[in-house]
Amino acid sequence: VKVSFTGLSRVLQVSVCVCASSPFLQSMPAMAALASIAAPHLVLPPASLPIPLDEPSASNHFGLPTFIGLDGRSSHRLLRNRSSNSTFCASTAVPLFRKVAGCRGGALSVCMVATGVERGVEVGFESKVFRKEKVTLAGRDEYIVRGGRDLFPLLPEAFKGIEQIGVIGWGSQAPAQAQNLRDSLAEAKSNIVVKVGLRKGSRSLDEARAAGFTEADGTLGDVFETISESDLVLLLISDSAQADNYQRIFAAMKPNSILGLSHGFLLGHLQSVGDDFRKDISVIAVCPKGMGPSVRRLYVQGQKINGAGINSSFAVHQDVDGRATNVALGWSVALGSPFTFITTLEDEYKSDIFGERGILLGAVHGVVEALFRRYTEAGMPEDDAYKNTVESVTGIISKTVSTKGMLAVYNSLDEQGKRDFETAYSASYYPCLDILYECYEEVASGNEIRSVVMAGHRFYEKDGLPAFPMGKIDKTRMWKVGERVRAARPEGDLGPLCAFTAGVYIALMMAQIEVLRKKAHSYSEIVNESVIEAVDSLNPFMHARGVAFMVDNCSTTARLGSRKWAPRFDYILTQQSFVDVDASASINKDLISNFLADPVHKALEVCSQLRPPVNIAVTADADYVRPELRGHTKI
């Protein structure tokens, strides 16, 4: 008998092979016992045993897992997560029956596979410090914690037992998080020290000092000295540097201390090399759904507006002493997150690395280059082509989606505009879905993580070969045109609403939503990773400085992903989507109807109500990204 579970409290698969004459057929409780042994975090409620086999399997409208009996019938059952003692629903199962050779007396193989698409709340959390709130997103109940400066007085209780927070690194996230934590704790009148750890000789030391962290007051020091003396270690160095140095970092940590991550990459790397975290430390994550400069920018802008900031997800991967959830939520609140939703470290890195290669950076880079080339080849002046691609996406389309949702973009068009939108959407959705599906599986398989680690090693001389750091993309014709357009752009101008561009971009956004939905991510994660992070964090920076600026200056992992995947989106649009448009292929009306009726719009509507009334302000001359990001970060 084989019973397997894939993913914590997420996708359930049970395969059972028994002889038809076996007494096991009469002992369905034995199946539950085996399941409990195979996956001790899952348990069937006692009232469900024995499992009846007299319910028809033709109809299951409740999103519950369907256990298929050997007579072809089924029973709906809830599963309970033993670690959180919370009940959750898995999705409808699909029975597969087949003969299995080699069993005397004949046998049937029964497979129950839950797709995960209709799952309910799966990862529960409890906090005695912060109040959790239920939100219903597209018919699914999920739980969040609202942020706000009025919660800062709770931070000392949330961080109970912590005397020093060590922020390791000074990359994209570290400057913002170190300053936000320091300022929030000061406002809470806490004595907790926030100390930045950098290697000796780091080019970032002067920047850290300029931000108020100094050796003299004990808030700036050596990396491993800071790690060894901190109760909470926020590891915010580059992904490849984490992969190269994690063993030394783990060894330096105090027993019962807490490792904090803002990205699940390290877990993915440990899985790929067969290693794990130390078992005597807690491991948590708080992952802002925006680049570091956005985290700091909105925190500062919103100092007089309660709840202004960048949304975050949080995860508790290991909890050795029961403090992990409160610490993670306190960390998120201190960063200024308007709302914080729960995920798992594995779901986070899969959605995040995938999102960077998708609509957040790589895909939008490929889409606008393909569209710019198409428009100019059709005779449109270069400046107009840039305005109708980059300016349209990062300006008016993003602003509309941010404040009113995707449907508002479509509904704001006239009849001809709607036809152009539908033409572009219909031709682009499946090609984008094709690449995004492949990309997600490359991330989930560990291939993208290994690629990032290997690329980091190529940044330096190795094996007699020269160093190959990443070059810049901002010198090509399109991006030089962009410089000219931005220089002449009136203040506050959001560019034209180009219907065809909107159709391609929204098709990309919906395709990414669909992949994450089919891969069983929560709607909180789907909406933040596919929509909110794009239109509220990254695209405003792109509008101010250009897409090329973002590609050249964001995190190493994201930059590598954009360079690798942007051409794939460019090519597939050029080779498939635009060919269909030019051939006057018929519009897929079902696809358009599905878009107009998609439940994600309701989820976005709920999230928009949680949005703080502050739009990020990014001036064209402000340089929020440091030169260090153009090279590999050594620890």
Side-chain angles (χ1 to χ4, degrees), residues 161-166 224-233 248-259 278-282 320-321 323:
I162 292 175
E163 296 180 1
Q164 178 171 296
I165 299 173
F224 289 101
E225 170 191 277
T226 303
I227 292 172
S228 65
E229 64 189 24
S230 294
D231 305 294
L232 170 60
V233 177
R248 190 179 174 195
I249 293 166
F250 291 174
M253 292 182 66
K254 298 192 296 187
N256 299 318
S257 59
I258 303 173
L259 175 64
R278 264 177 52 183
K279 295 305 180 184
D280 63 341
I281 62 172
S282 294
V320 298
D321 57 13
R323 294 183 297 151

Side-chain angles (χ1 to χ4, degrees), residues 525-537:
E525 196 153 54
I526 291 168
V527 167
N528 276 278
E529 206 67 62
S530 303
V531 183
I532 295 175
E533 185 169 356
V535 300
D536 282 344
S537 177

Side-chain angles (χ1 to χ4, degrees), residues 1 3 5 14 16 18 22-38 42-53 67-70 75 77 79 82:
V1 178
V3 182
F5 293 83
V14 181
V16 182
V18 296
S22 171
F24 183 78
L25 288 175
Q26 308 302 320
S27 180
M28 294 306 289
M31 290 183 66
L34 286 165
S36 182
I37 295 169
L42 295 176
V43 62
L44 287 167
S48 71
L49 298 175
I51 299 177
L53 298 177
F67 287 82
I68 307 301
L70 295 184
S75 171
R77 282 292 173 261
L79 292 175
R82 188 175 272 149

Side-chain angles (χ1 to χ4, degrees), residues 18-246:
V18 296
C19 294
S21 58
S22 171
F24 183 78
L25 288 175
Q26 308 302 320
S27 180
M28 294 306 289
M31 290 183 66
L34 286 165
S36 182
I37 295 169
H41 59 281
L42 295 176
V43 62
L44 287 167
S48 71
L49 298 175
I51 299 177
L53 298 177
D54 56 357
E55 299 179 33
S57 61
S59 177
N60 180 357
H61 303 292
F62 306 103
L64 306 182
T66 306
F67 287 82
I68 307 301
L70 295 184
D71 62 353
R73 298 189 175 188
S74 64
S75 171
H76 309 309
R77 282 292 173 261
L78 285 175
L79 292 175
R80 223 165 7 110
N81 186 330
R82 188 175 272 149
S83 61
S84 65
N85 202 34
S86 60
T87 302
F88 70 95
C89 301
S91 64
T92 304
V94 181
L96 299 174
F97 297 87
R98 64 182 181 272
K99 281 280 185 178
V100 179
C103 279
R104 289 179 297 172
L108 285 173
S109 175
V110 184
C111 182
M112 191 284 279
V113 180
T115 64
V117 178
E118 297 179 7
R119 70 179 187 178
V121 177
E122 300 169 356
V123 186
F125 71 94
E126 297 295 335
S127 172
K128 294 182 179 179
V129 179
F130 299 102
R131 184 176 70 87
K132 70 178 184 180
E133 177 181 337
K134 184 171 76 173
V135 294
T136 302
L137 302 177
R140 301 181 190 178
D141 291 340
E142 300 182 16
Y143 290 88
I144 64 168
V145 169
R146 286 185 191 253
R149 293 171 185 266
D150 60 329
L151 298 181
F152 288 178
L154 300 177
L155 294 179
E157 178 65 20
F159 289 132
K160 191 173 183 179
I162 292 175
E163 296 180 1
Q164 178 171 296
I165 299 173
V167 179
I168 309 304
W170 198 259
S172 177
Q173 287 287 335
Q177 294 202 28
Q179 292 177 84
N180 289 13
L181 279 163
R182 177 196 61 195
D183 295 350
S184 297
L185 288 166
E187 191 170 327
K189 297 180 172 54
S190 169
N191 293 322
I192 296 174
V193 174
V194 177
K195 182 174 182 177
V196 174
L198 295 171
R199 61 184 174 84
K200 288 182 173 66
S202 169
R203 291 174 294 177
S204 299
L205 284 167
D206 287 341
E207 289 192 24
R209 294 183 187 113
F213 299 94
T214 67
E215 294 91 340
D217 65 4
T219 59
L220 181 62
D222 173 71
V223 169
F224 289 101
E225 170 191 277
T226 303
I227 292 172
S228 65
E229 64 189 24
S230 294
D231 305 294
L232 170 60
V233 177
L234 306 187
L235 189 61
L236 303 180
I237 58 177
S238 73
D239 293 334
S240 55
Q242 290 185 31
D244 287 342
N245 294 279
Y246 74 87

Side-chain angles (χ1 to χ4, degrees), residues 171-172 237-241 263 265 353 356-357 361 448 451-457 459-460 468-470 550-564 625-634:
S172 177
I237 58 177
S238 73
D239 293 334
S240 55
H263 188 14
F265 182 96
I353 298 175
E356 291 171 348
R357 283 140 181 76
L361 195 65
E448 284 296 302
S451 176
V452 169
V453 174
M454 290 187 292
H457 296 158
F459 293 161
Y460 302 94
F468 287 98
M470 278 183 283
M550 186 63 65
V551 172
D552 285 337
N553 287 283
C554 62
S555 72
T556 301
T557 300
R559 292 164 64 208
L560 286 167
S562 180
R563 283 161 171 76
K564 179 176 180 179
V625 186
R626 303 160 334 285
E628 282 85 344
L629 282 182
R630 297 188 177 93
H632 182 64
T633 303
K634 285 185 177 179

Side-chain angles (χ1 to χ4, degrees), residues 195-457:
K195 182 174 182 177
V196 174
L198 295 171
R199 61 184 174 84
K200 288 182 173 66
S202 169
R203 291 174 294 177
S204 299
L205 284 167
D206 287 341
E207 289 192 24
R209 294 183 187 113
F213 299 94
T214 67
E215 294 91 340
D217 65 4
T219 59
L220 181 62
D222 173 71
V223 169
F224 289 101
E225 170 191 277
T226 303
I227 292 172
S228 65
E229 64 189 24
S230 294
D231 305 294
L232 170 60
V233 177
L234 306 187
L235 189 61
L236 303 180
I237 58 177
S238 73
D239 293 334
S240 55
Q242 290 185 31
D244 287 342
N245 294 279
Y246 74 87
Q247 291 175 318
R248 190 179 174 195
I249 293 166
F250 291 174
M253 292 182 66
K254 298 192 296 187
N256 299 318
S257 59
I258 303 173
L259 175 64
L261 306 168
S262 280
H263 188 14
F265 182 96
L266 183 56
L267 172 64
H269 175 67
L270 293 175
Q271 290 173 338
S272 72
V273 298
D275 211 341
D276 203 350
F277 297 101
R278 264 177 52 183
K279 295 305 180 184
D280 63 341
I281 62 172
S282 294
V283 180
I284 63 176
V286 169
C287 310
K289 299 297 109 179
M291 59 187 289
S294 299
V295 174
R296 182 60 178 171
R297 183 69 178 166
L298 273 171
Y299 181 93
V300 172
Q301 280 182 238
Q303 284 181 332
K304 296 182 179 179
I305 298 175
N306 198 39
I310 294 289
N311 297 333
S312 296
S313 62
F314 87 98
V316 174
H317 188 72
Q318 286 184 185
D319 187 357
V320 298
D321 57 13
R323 294 183 297 151
T325 296
N326 286 335
V327 171
L329 290 171
W331 173 13
S332 185
V333 167
L335 293 184
S337 305
F339 77 84
T340 305
F341 63 92
I342 192 164
T343 185
T344 66
L345 206 53
E346 183 171 343
D347 274 359
E348 194 287 325
Y349 83 72
K350 288 178 180 177
S351 63
D352 188 75
I353 298 175
F354 165 69
E356 291 171 348
R357 283 140 181 76
I359 201 162
L360 300 182
L361 195 65
V364 71
H365 171 199
V367 163
V368 296
E369 289 211 352
L371 287 169
F372 179 83
R373 190 170 58 251
R374 176 176 176 81
Y375 294 164
T376 54
E377 289 175 354
M380 186 181 289
E382 288 184 336
D383 285 24
D384 289 343
Y386 189 87
K387 291 175 184 177
N388 280 280
T389 54
V390 176
E391 298 282 283
S392 186
V393 166
T394 63
I396 187 62
I397 293 174
S398 291
K399 181 63 176 292
T400 303
V401 173
S402 171
T403 56
K404 300 176 183 178
M406 286 181 282
L407 286 179
V409 175
Y410 177 82
N411 291 331
S412 66
L413 300 169
D414 60 21
E415 289 308 307
Q416 181 58 50
K418 287 179 179 177
R419 283 193 291 273
D420 292 343
F421 179 101
E422 291 175 4
T423 297
Y425 187 100
S426 179
S428 303
Y429 178 84
Y430 283 112
C432 287
L433 187 67
D434 181 0
I435 302 300
L436 288 165
Y437 183 19
E438 177 188 350
C439 181
Y440 186 96
E441 298 212 321
E442 285 293 292
V443 174
S445 70
N447 288 342
E448 284 296 302
I449 289 174
R450 286 186 286 272
S451 176
V452 169
V453 174
M454 290 187 292
H457 296 158

